[in-house]
Amino acid sequence: MTSSGLHAARARGGNARQLVHELLRARIVGLELQPGTPLSENELAAELGVSRTPVRESLILLAEEGLVDVYPQLGTFVSRLREQDIASAQFVREALELAALRDGVERADQRDILELRALLAAQTDAERRRDPEAFFRLDEEFHARLMAAAGHPEAWSLVHHAKAHLDRARRLSLPLEDQLALLIRQHTDVVDAVEQRDAQGADAALRGHLRQVFADVETVRTRHPQLFGEADTPPRPRPRRESRKRSVDR
Amino acid sequence: MTSSGLHAARARGGNARQLVHELLRARIVGLELQPGTPLSENELAAELGVSRTPVRESLILLAEEGLVDVYPQLGTFVSRLREQDIASAQFVREALELAALRDGVERADQRDILELRALLAAQTDAERRRDPEAFFRLDEEFHARLMAAAGHPEAWSLVHHAKAHLDRARRLSLPLEDQLALLIRQHTDVVDAVEQRDAQGADAALRGHLRQVFADVETVRTRHPQLFGEADTPPRPRPRRESRKRSVDR
DNA sequence: CCTGACGTACTTGTATGGTAGCCGACACGA
DNA sequence: TCGTGTCGGCTACCATACAAGTACGTCAGG
């Protein structure tokens, strides 16, 4: 069961809160838990084999990231994909990654280039195996490594947070024809430009790549509109009828 | 009693967790709680008239922001000013504020300019009254307003988080001679450039301003080295009983 | 006197009980 | 038929009890 795995991991490493947090985060970003899904503290605690405390603390952290919405005395729900959240995440990601890349063009050494190229090779392999999940992990690692090479490894966590909102939508578009190949090509262009110390080229390549990702979200929006929504009102677990509800705190 | 005030505020506004979080955050950023100070969940709960739960949840959030360090089974301490944290905060702040300003130069309308100028006037007033605390609040509002005018009000929260690490150190340098006047001058330069749609000028003015703030931190480091530290190990063995109120010497 | 084992008083982490408030179903009355 | 009041079940929030672990003062033994 899930609980046994959690107990094992708990013995190995971190505390229950971190484990639950990471687990729920992965499930939300991976769309295993779809937007609008109700998350009950009691239910999760029972399912994961821990008490409500670490579950609750995890939900608070997820709420801070914008991945869940907490309505006191009402319930906690996986947040819907909101126009504003996605646009904001895109802005933050662009600003941070492009700023980092400006330093990266100067600071990256041959060792960094080699590691990035190794990740590109692994991505190509994942694409050939038609394994979008593997590609997702490698994509994360690529962008993280890029920021580390630029000398700003800590700022990655912020990009990581922002990226979650984009990935949640983007994931549905990845299995599409030739999508992975296109993204890998764009990654490669970035690395090439960095290796040649071509600041303008690198900037253009990465910007184009990030905009591509943003465009993918739009594609998904038209195909899966039910995942999106402004969500001033809490989603309904299993409703039959509409009812008006005034939102509480921010 | 402190608790009565909190209960009152609680009736008015949010839940206990948010109130405790904001209170502790203000005390830490305001250096009322100096770096290295131990924060006991029990002690805080008793002092604030709430149970451990909201206090603990607040500390978790503060730990996420990097303002406190939690050592399990050992204690929670106000984090020291770390070289890396400060540099990272500076990078994030520059990246986000400058990226926003690029949009702001195009999007800001006359109404935005007027509101910004009103804040500048208030800052000048605070400077004349030699009121650094008031200036700090107005500085926050100025930068927040600037990002809102640029069309990225949500990204402010990230800058706000980053700014905390800088402000904590900077606060000690603000009462210095002519510091406030210089900062206000720089703020004014930014607004002037934005009003004239001078993208390059605005970029240079804001970058210069942010670098100035960063330089102030260095000044403080040489004067108050005890506030800094890499803190691989818990800050202090064990300061028992009340020994705070250690006035900042020169 | 010096050294080292140990108990005690703390710490955070986790589990659980109690409370106020919201929603939806259902009975009742017009 | 439709509107309304009540009640049961759910929620998150908060308080409290227990468990696991660390540091330091104390004291026995050299």
Side-chain angles (χ1 to χ4, degrees):
Chain A
M1 289 309 282
T2 320
S3 61
S4 69
L6 190 140
H7 282 313
R10 192 163 153 188
R12 286 189 295 106
N15 53 22
R17 176 176 73 245
Q18 291 178 355
L19 292 168
V20 172
H21 182 196
E22 290 169 16
L23 177 68
L24 289 179
R25 194 178 196 283
R27 285 189 183 176
I28 292 173
V29 176
L31 285 185
E32 190 177 340
L33 291 171
Q34 291 213 353
T37 306
L39 298 177
S40 161
E41 291 181 2
N42 280 313
E43 204 171 306
L44 288 172
E47 176 184 342
L48 300 179
V50 297
S51 79
R52 279 163 28 218
T53 302
V55 171
R56 171 178 167 79
E57 291 169 350
S58 297
L59 292 178
I60 291 173
L61 292 176
L62 291 170
E64 209 69 13
E65 301 179 44
L67 293 178
V68 306
D69 296 324
V70 178
Y71 299 90
Q73 277 66 30
L74 211 166
T76 301
F77 306 86
V78 177
S79 68
R80 293 190 184 279
L81 279 55
R82 284 183 280 266
E83 172 82 39
Q84 216 178 28
D85 286 355
I86 294 174
S88 174
Q90 175 71 10
F91 168 75
V92 168
R93 190 187 181 187
E94 270 192 36
L96 291 177
E97 288 210 52
L98 290 176
L101 190 66
R102 283 192 276 277
D103 294 342
V105 170
E106 299 179 359
R107 296 188 43 150
D109 56 16
Q110 196 56 31
R111 182 193 188 84
D112 296 319
I113 300 294
L114 283 177
E115 293 189 23
L116 289 171
R117 293 218 182 275
L119 287 173
L120 291 178
Q123 288 174 10
T124 303
D125 193 53
E127 189 263 341
R128 198 168 38 217
R129 297 198 319 266
R130 304 255 183 260
D131 186 349
E133 293 305 319
F135 177 83
F136 252 104
R137 286 192 299 275
L138 291 166
D139 181 62
E140 283 269 312
E141 201 173 339
F142 175 81
H143 286 276
R145 197 72 200 76
L146 198 57
M147 297 205 69
H152 301 288
E154 330 81 19
W156 165 249
S157 72
L158 292 182
V159 176
H160 184 61
H161 279 31
K163 198 166 173 290
H165 289 277
L166 302 170
D167 284 347
R168 210 149 57 114
R170 184 162 69 114
R171 186 169 296 258
L172 293 173
S173 76
L174 272 208
L176 265 49
E177 240 7 69
D178 300 329
Q179 266 304 95
L180 297 188
L182 173 60
L183 295 173
I184 293 171
R185 171 60 174 273
Q186 293 174 336
H187 284 174
T188 306
D189 289 344
V190 173
V191 176
D192 288 347
V194 170
E195 185 171 28
Q196 295 166 17
R197 310 278 185 214
D198 176 7
Q200 275 198 351
D203 192 272
L206 182 54
R207 177 176 275 111
H209 172 56
L210 297 180
R211 293 283 165 87
Q212 167 69 44
V213 169
F214 192 48
D216 290 347
V217 173
E218 284 306 312
T219 305
V220 173
R221 184 203 303 274
T222 63
R223 303 198 183 195
H224 305 275
Q226 81 283 359
L227 299 180
F228 293 76
E230 295 314 312
D232 256 348
T233 78
R236 274 159 290 283
R238 44 197 68 191
R240 290 320 295 177
R241 282 187 47 83
E242 286 272 334
S243 79
R244 305 288 295 253
K245 162 76 176 65
R246 185 80 181 95
S247 108
V248 275
D249 67 348
R250 67 180 211 84
Chain B
M1 305 184 182
T2 319
S3 60
S4 69
L6 190 140
H7 282 313
R10 192 163 153 188
R12 286 188 294 105
N15 53 23
R17 178 176 71 244
Q18 289 179 357
L19 291 169
V20 173
H21 182 193
E22 291 171 15
L23 177 68
L24 289 179
R25 194 179 196 283
R27 285 189 183 176
I28 291 173
V29 176
L31 285 185
E32 190 176 339
L33 291 171
Q34 291 212 355
T37 306
L39 297 177
S40 162
E41 292 179 2
N42 280 313
E43 203 172 308
L44 287 171
E47 177 182 342
L48 300 178
V50 297
S51 80
R52 269 186 62 205
T53 302
V55 170
R56 172 178 169 77
E57 290 169 352
S58 297
L59 291 178
I60 291 174
L61 292 176
L62 291 171
E64 210 69 14
E65 301 180 45
L67 292 179
V68 305
D69 296 324
V70 178
Y71 300 90
Q73 276 69 31
L74 212 165
T76 301
F77 305 85
V78 178
S79 68
R80 293 191 183 279
L81 280 55
R82 284 182 280 266
E83 172 82 39
Q84 216 177 28
D85 286 355
I86 294 173
S88 173
Q90 175 70 11
F91 168 76
V92 169
R93 191 187 181 187
E94 271 191 36
L96 291 177
E97 288 211 51
L98 291 176
L101 190 66
R102 284 191 276 277
D103 294 342
V105 170
E106 298 178 0
R107 297 189 43 153
D109 58 14
Q110 196 56 31
R111 183 193 187 82
D112 295 319
I113 300 292
L114 284 177
E115 294 190 23
L116 289 171
R117 291 217 183 277
L119 287 172
L120 291 179
Q123 288 173 10
T124 302
D125 193 55
E127 189 263 340
R128 199 168 36 219
R129 297 196 320 266
R130 305 256 182 258
D131 186 348
E133 293 304 319
F135 177 83
F136 253 105
R137 287 192 300 274
L138 292 165
D139 181 62
E140 282 270 311
E141 201 173 340
F142 175 81
H143 285 276
R145 197 73 199 75
L146 198 57
M147 297 205 68
H152 301 287
E154 329 82 18
W156 165 249
S157 72
L158 293 181
V159 176
H160 184 61
H161 278 31
K163 200 167 172 292
H165 288 277
L166 302 169
D167 284 349
R168 209 148 59 114
R170 184 162 70 112
R171 186 169 293 260
L172 293 174
S173 76
L174 272 208
L176 264 50
E177 249 351 82
D178 300 329
Q179 268 302 99
L180 297 188
L182 173 61
L183 296 174
I184 294 171
R185 171 61 174 273
Q186 294 174 336
H187 284 175
T188 306
D189 290 344
V190 173
V191 176
D192 288 347
V194 170
E195 185 171 28
Q196 296 167 16
R197 310 277 185 216
D198 176 6
Q200 274 199 352
D203 192 272
L206 183 54
R207 177 175 275 113
H209 172 55
L210 298 179
R211 293 283 166 87
Q212 168 69 44
V213 170
F214 192 47
D216 290 348
V217 173
E218 283 305 313
T219 304
V220 173
R221 185 204 302 275
T222 63
R223 302 197 187 199
H224 305 276
Q226 80 284 358
L227 299 180
F228 294 76
E230 294 315 311
D232 261 345
T233 73
R236 290 278 298 274
R238 191 172 273 262
R240 275 270 55 84
R241 227 43 211 145
E242 57 169 9
S243 70
R244 56 191 68 159
K245 204 55 189 158
R246 183 169 187 77
S247 99
V248 281
D249 53 1
R250 53 188 47 79

